Amino acid sequence: MMEIRYELTKTPKAKPADETKLGFGRVFTDHMFVMDYDTGMGWHDARIVPFGDISLSPAAMCLHYGQEIFEGLKAYRTADGEIQLFRPEENFKRLNLSADRMVIPRVDEEFCVEAVKELVKVEKDWVPHTDGASLYIRPFIFACDPFVGVKPADHYMFMIILSPSGAYYSTGLNPVKIYVEQKYVRAVRGGTGFAKTAANYAISLKGQDEAHQQNYEQVLWLDGVEQKYIEEVGAMNIFFVIDNEVITPELVGTVLPGITRKSAIEICKSKGYKVSERRITIEEIAKAYDEGKVQEVFGTGTAAVISPVGHLKWGDKIMTINDNKIGEISQMLYDTMTGIQYGKLEDKFGWITKIDE
Ligand SMILES: *Cc1c(COP(=O)(O)O)cnc(C)c1O
């Protein structure tokens, strides 16, 4: 495995005094992990260095044509003060899936997990102590060649930055209001929907913006061909509980294969629930709603773990789910997943990687 060079800061920052005011994604730790790729050399010069600005040519290819991919995971502190990761190998497996789609060179998945472990170890005092808070980990790769022509790059940078983040739910699991998008689409057959790449987010902002104007927090995306089948929420996968069946859209290439999604399916199956990964239309949801069969709707993603949906607006139809309260399965999944992540529950599935001191 590649050696990691260390250059530690002599001027560490003060840690956030009040963890309840952390919010998300604005505070960064003292160090970052970096490595470079050059055609002919492969990935090289792995290093942990002080967090700081980087210098890029204004012609850097990522700035013009968006050749970029990323991941998102968290480090959690247990009640005993141990620090642990949740299924980190899955993130780097998915990073390589995204890399293939965006013609970015693959990484050594095992080495990347080691890099995360080493970086988190250096920054262990930055892992929040408050229940529900965590250290967000953002690995990403982008094209840096100074060239304003369209082709896959020859030079890339891989970086990992860390951001302590507050508890997502400071006042319990509040259901979100979701708006079914009928104008814009997020992904199409043969496109990049399954890849974690910047472009998927850039194109979703417009719909998100219009949803916000109508006082909705998130957008539910339908398929890009017929705008009929439900896909996902753009940063979360979506689940429905209808007539005691747990349903989530099948991974047809336009849906991001969420690790929280995968874990939720595995937990539901282990508890004996009937789980289906299949195509499901918005009409089917509306019909089941009218028949009183929609029991729960929730999103899954690393940031919020489980996000109950209280309102679903499709055209003029407003569906209120489970009296705008969190459902039984949503609560069970939240408790089970966070229980494992924070070391309160036994890691029956073998999902935890500990950061050893
Ligand atoms: C990251 C992401 C998700 C959720 O994935 P997790 O691995 O569960 O965090 C869902 N949809 C999109 C578009 C994403 O980028």
Side-chain angles (χ1 to χ4, degrees):
M1 239 186 248
M2 213 187 316
E3 282 281 326
I4 300 176
R5 177 170 64 81
Y6 286 78
E7 181 196 327
L8 301 186
T9 183
K10 293 186 182 67
T11 52
K13 291 175 276 201
K15 308 283 179 301
D18 186 354
E19 289 184 355
T20 63
K21 296 208 169 72
L22 277 173
F24 178 77
R26 292 188 193 279
V27 178
F28 300 97
T29 67
D30 289 317
H31 299 89
M32 58 189 183
F33 174 88
V34 189
M35 65 179 173
D36 296 289
Y37 179 92
D38 284 279
T39 298
M41 286 176 83
W43 289 107
H44 63 88
D45 200 14
R47 56 208 187 267
I48 287 173
V49 295
F51 180 93
D53 293 351
I54 53 170
S55 127
L56 268 186
S57 163
M61 291 172 83
C62 60
L63 300 177
H64 302 272
Y65 308 116
Q67 204 188 3
E68 191 269 357
I69 54 174
F70 66 94
E71 271 304 324
L73 65 159
K74 288 172 168 179
Y76 308 87
R77 189 184 290 279
T78 69
D80 312 333
E82 282 188 305
I83 298 167
Q84 49 191 36
L85 306 171
F86 183 75
R87 313 188 81 175
E89 60 288 344
E90 291 288 335
N91 290 93
F92 293 103
K93 212 160 98 185
R94 185 170 67 189
L95 185 69
N96 273 338
L97 203 72
S98 304
D100 284 340
R101 180 63 183 81
M102 304 307 285
V103 203
I104 287 173
R106 294 170 68 87
V107 294
D108 178 335
E109 293 165 22
E110 237 174 275
F111 174 71
C112 288
V113 173
E114 280 313 305
V116 167
K117 287 165 78 174
E118 290 304 313
L119 182 62
V120 173
K121 210 191 291 184
V122 168
E123 305 289 55
K124 62 181 191 317
D125 294 339
W126 283 92
V127 182
H129 295 75
T130 317
D131 196 32
S134 58
L135 184 68
Y136 185 74
I137 304 168
R138 167 53 60 87
F140 56 109
I141 304 177
F142 55 96
C144 345
D145 307 32
F147 176 58
V148 187
V150 181
K151 70 172 189 68
D154 286 309
H155 178 73
Y156 296 88
M157 279 178 98
F158 173 109
M159 307 183 79
I160 306 172
I161 57 174
L162 306 176
S163 175
S165 52
Y168 199 88
Y169 298 106
S170 38
T171 55
L173 272 77
N174 290 324
V176 293
K177 289 174 72 182
I178 289 195
Y179 163 100
V180 181
E181 180 57 59
Q182 294 185 283
K183 185 156 66 170
Y184 306 109
V185 299
R186 173 187 173 273
V188 289
R189 190 173 64 218
T192 57
F194 68 88
K196 225 169 162 73
T197 182
N200 289 337
Y201 282 78
I203 64 162
S204 70
L205 294 175
K206 187 74 177 163
Q208 193 72 257
D209 201 42
E210 291 181 11
H212 286 167
Q213 282 168 25
Q214 295 191 41
N215 229 353
Y216 278 78
E217 288 149 74
Q218 308 252 8
V219 167
L220 180 63
W221 297 98
L222 300 177
D223 76 280
V225 179
E226 296 171 83
Q227 289 198 296
K228 201 171 133 183
Y229 298 99
I230 291 167
E231 303 224 301
E232 64 159 284
V233 190
M236 284 194 299
N237 294 104
I238 190 91
F239 283 73
F240 300 89
V241 183
I242 300 175
D243 224 1
N244 297 318
E245 180 189 12
V246 180
I247 307 163
T248 191
E250 165 179 25
L251 299 176
V252 285
T254 44
V255 174
L256 201 286
I259 296 160
T260 320
R261 173 189 180 278
K262 182 174 177 171
S263 307
I265 292 172
E266 289 171 44
I267 293 169
C268 283
K269 284 187 176 164
S270 80
K271 303 243 181 209
Y273 289 100
K274 181 179 178 212
V275 185
S276 311
E277 293 178 69
R278 62 171 171 89
R279 300 204 88 182
I280 180 162
T281 62
I282 185 69
E283 280 111 350
E284 182 179 340
I285 301 298
K287 185 165 172 284
Y289 178 81
D290 289 339
E291 290 166 356
K293 289 182 184 160
V294 177
Q295 295 153 292
E296 297 181 40
V297 181
F298 57 92
T300 62
T302 297
V305 190
I306 300 295
S307 194
V309 176
H311 286 274
L312 199 58
K313 181 178 190 290
W314 178 44
D316 296 331
K317 192 177 179 71
I318 295 178
M319 297 175 252
T320 304
I321 314 297
N322 193 37
D323 272 338
N324 198 29
K325 290 199 290 283
I326 182 162
E328 190 186 313
I329 295 178
S330 312
Q331 185 73 54
M332 176 281 288
L333 284 171
Y334 182 81
D335 293 343
T336 308
M337 243 176 295
T338 56
I340 294 171
Q341 289 164 342
Y342 288 91
K344 292 176 201 157
L345 289 181
E346 185 199 344
D347 175 26
K348 273 195 298 197
F349 298 91
W351 286 342
I352 292 300
T353 293
K354 285 193 191 303
I355 308 277
D356 34 65
E357 299 276 324

